Amino acid sequence: MPRDDISQMPTNIRLQVEGMSCAGCVRRAETAISSVDGVAKAAVNLATGKADVEFGAPATPATISAAMDKAGYPAARAEISVEVAGATCASCVNRIEIAIKSLPGVSQAVMNLATGRASISYLAGMLTVDDIAAAVAGAGYNVVAEAGGQTAPVDRHKQDQDRLTRSVWIAFALGLPVFVAEMGGHLFPPIHHFIAQTIGHQTSWVLQFILTALILIFPGRVFFAKGFPALVRRAPDMNSLVALGASAAFVYSSVATFAPAVLPALARNVYFESAAVIVVLILLGRLLESRAKGRTGDAIRHLVALAPETATVERDGNLQTVPIETIRTGEILHLKPGERLAVDGVVLSGHSYVDESMITGEPVPVEKGAEAPVVAGTINGTGALSYRATAVGRDTMLSRIVRMVEDAQGAKLPIQAQVDKITAWFV
């Protein structure tokens, strides 16, 4: 099939329609969708609440959604958060957001560099984590996990911190002699005289070449592994800047060391210390950044740790210890003295005092008897209780608090979005 024919092939999408209650709603929703220039066919099903739309240019999911909103039958939206690896600067953030926004149905994408999390709002049913991962991979980054739920976030930054700590110390140990040999004389002139009278400046330059090469090959290789491929994609990032700067200083200095005749006499200087210091300082900045990122997840981990992993549930007339993920609304749970509540519920029998300070901040335990509400994560006192589950999993108050903290950490101030745009252009 000719390429032009392929590009003009119609696209089929299925949208979840909200607000319909009768056949008249169906007709109005279909009319609104069909009014969009480029829509070939629209079929709305009242029973399923879905709209099957066939369209081509110039229609897009966004224009179809806008027409549905205007008609009063909006397409259902969904939100998802994913953890993205490989972002190191505001320029990375900008490229990730552009890649995700290019997906059909995406209305908003916000990437937070500090948390490493991208929050996406899209038309329900039009996007999967695999679609997002493919788009992000095309921009040169990786989706490592879907974020959310009541599971404690993996401390991925711990490994980064260990790796960066080693790299910083290696780069510092190798770079310090280079810096002292080349720049020390500016602060303390006898250093240059000492080098000239012992090993000589030429030998000093060769040693600087070796030490700097080791820095660039080992701790500094990450900048080249990511920076130059980004240049090939015409999407330079901070790694590209570091790679170019270090390479320029290193190559020029190598020429001055091993082929000085190529350069004018007054230009035969070496700048190995520039390449070494660039790598050391950027690696140090990455280490500090990684530590800051690790601390952003502490609040979430502490909150999630409040929920127990198992609970005692009454099933088929027997008491069973089961993982809290298997508990369903309406089941009866039994709580022993000193245990944490697994889910939200209402007390059926028993009498006790429950420490609810993690929710209310009030240190005095609250008396609980029949019909009293109880909240997941709180701690039972000396009595025994049986209670019926009213909210489980993502619906518990604890899970909602976790999600609010995650949303707060992932949110951007308007000025931060402007800074990201400016920085992207700067890079």
Side-chain angles (χ1 to χ4, degrees):
M1 183 180 293
R3 183 174 298 275
D4 291 341
D5 293 341
I6 293 176
S7 63
Q8 295 173 8
M9 289 180 65
T11 301
N12 294 281
I13 61 173
R14 173 170 289 182
L15 303 174
Q16 183 72 42
V17 186
E18 297 180 336
M20 295 191 303
S21 58
C22 62
C25 299
V26 171
R27 180 181 57 79
R28 284 188 289 272
E30 287 181 346
T31 301
I33 297 172
S34 299
S35 67
V36 177
D37 188 19
V39 172
K41 184 169 61 176
V44 179
N45 189 309
L46 179 62
T48 62
K50 296 184 184 297
D52 292 304
V53 185
E54 181 180 305
F55 68 95
T60 64
T63 58
I64 295 171
S65 174
M68 295 171 67
D69 291 344
K70 186 176 181 180
Y73 305 100
R77 265 76 170 181
E79 294 184 353
I80 190 174
S81 293
V82 295
E83 294 184 26
V84 182
T88 58
C89 63
S91 181
C92 300
V93 169
N94 186 63
R95 270 188 289 279
I96 291 170
E97 290 180 349
I98 290 175
I100 297 175
K101 288 178 181 177
S102 68
L103 293 171
V106 173
S107 57
Q108 185 178 25
V110 178
M111 173 71 190
N112 189 294
L113 180 61
T115 61
R117 175 171 299 173
S119 299
I120 303 111
S121 178
Y122 63 99
L123 296 177
M126 289 198 61
L127 201 61
T128 65
V129 175
D130 291 339
D131 297 331
I132 298 171
V136 172
Y141 308 92
N142 297 307
V143 170
V144 294
E146 179 180 354
Q150 195 173 344
T151 303
V154 178
D155 188 6
R156 305 180 189 280
H157 301 297
K158 182 64 171 65
Q159 294 180 347
D160 287 342
Q161 289 180 32
D162 294 340
R163 175 181 56 80
L164 285 168
T165 299
R166 289 193 299 270
S167 296
V168 168
W169 280 112
I170 292 172
F172 178 79
L174 295 173
L176 183 61
V178 176
F179 182 82
V180 171
E182 189 60 31
M183 302 299 294
H186 294 286
L187 296 176
F188 190 60
I191 291 179
H192 273 327
H193 300 309
F194 175 77
I195 292 174
Q197 295 172 2
T198 53
I199 61 175
H201 287 298
Q202 181 63 28
T203 303
S204 172
W205 288 2
V206 173
L207 292 175
Q208 292 180 44
F209 166 82
I210 295 172
L211 294 174
T212 305
L214 292 174
I215 292 174
L216 300 184
I217 292 172
F218 294 105
R221 69 181 180 275
V222 61
F223 301 115
F224 299 90
K226 295 182 178 181
F228 286 134
L231 281 175
V232 173
R233 294 193 303 269
R234 297 184 179 180
D237 58 7
M238 191 62 69
N239 293 302
S240 305
L241 296 183
V242 176
L244 286 174
S247 297
F250 182 77
V251 171
Y252 184 91
S253 301
S254 299
V255 172
T257 301
F258 299 106
V262 175
L263 302 173
L266 296 179
R268 295 171 188 172
N269 299 306
V270 296
Y271 302 94
F272 289 118
E273 85 288 346
S274 296
V277 169
I278 287 173
V279 172
V280 172
L281 292 181
I282 299 298
L283 285 175
L284 179 60
R286 295 273 174 90
L287 175 60
L288 297 176
E289 179 185 51
S290 181
R291 289 180 176 176
K293 287 181 179 179
R295 285 195 293 270
T296 62
D298 287 345
I300 302 297
R301 282 186 286 274
H302 292 158
L303 282 172
V304 173
L306 295 175
E309 296 181 356
T310 60
T312 303
V313 181
E314 185 177 320
R315 290 178 178 173
D316 301 325
N318 299 316
L319 298 182
Q320 303 177 20
T321 300
V322 301
I324 63 172
E325 294 84 3
T326 65
I327 299 174
R328 298 293 178 262
T329 302
E331 288 190 308
I332 298 175
L333 291 83
H334 291 259
L335 190 67
K336 299 176 183 178
E339 286 187 331
R340 285 187 181 273
L341 281 91
V343 296
D344 295 355
V346 175
V347 175
L348 298 178
S349 63
H351 182 272
S352 185
Y353 287 85
V354 176
D355 180 1
E356 295 185 338
S357 58
M358 55 83 65
I359 297 293
T360 65
E362 174 58 52
V364 179
V366 180
E367 183 178 7
K368 298 293 181 180
E371 302 301 323
V374 289
V375 179
T378 55
I379 305 173
N380 185 29
T382 57
L385 298 173
S386 65
Y387 64 102
R388 186 183 303 277
T390 58
V392 300
R394 292 177 59 87
D395 296 326
T396 65
M397 182 179 294
L398 179 60
S399 291
R400 294 199 299 270
I401 292 173
V402 169
R403 288 200 298 275
M404 285 190 291
V405 174
E406 288 176 337
D407 292 342
Q409 289 183 343
K412 282 186 180 182
L413 295 173
I415 188 63
Q416 187 177 352
Q418 294 299 320
V419 170
D420 286 348
K421 291 181 181 179
I422 294 170
T423 307
W425 280 104
F426 169 76
V427 173

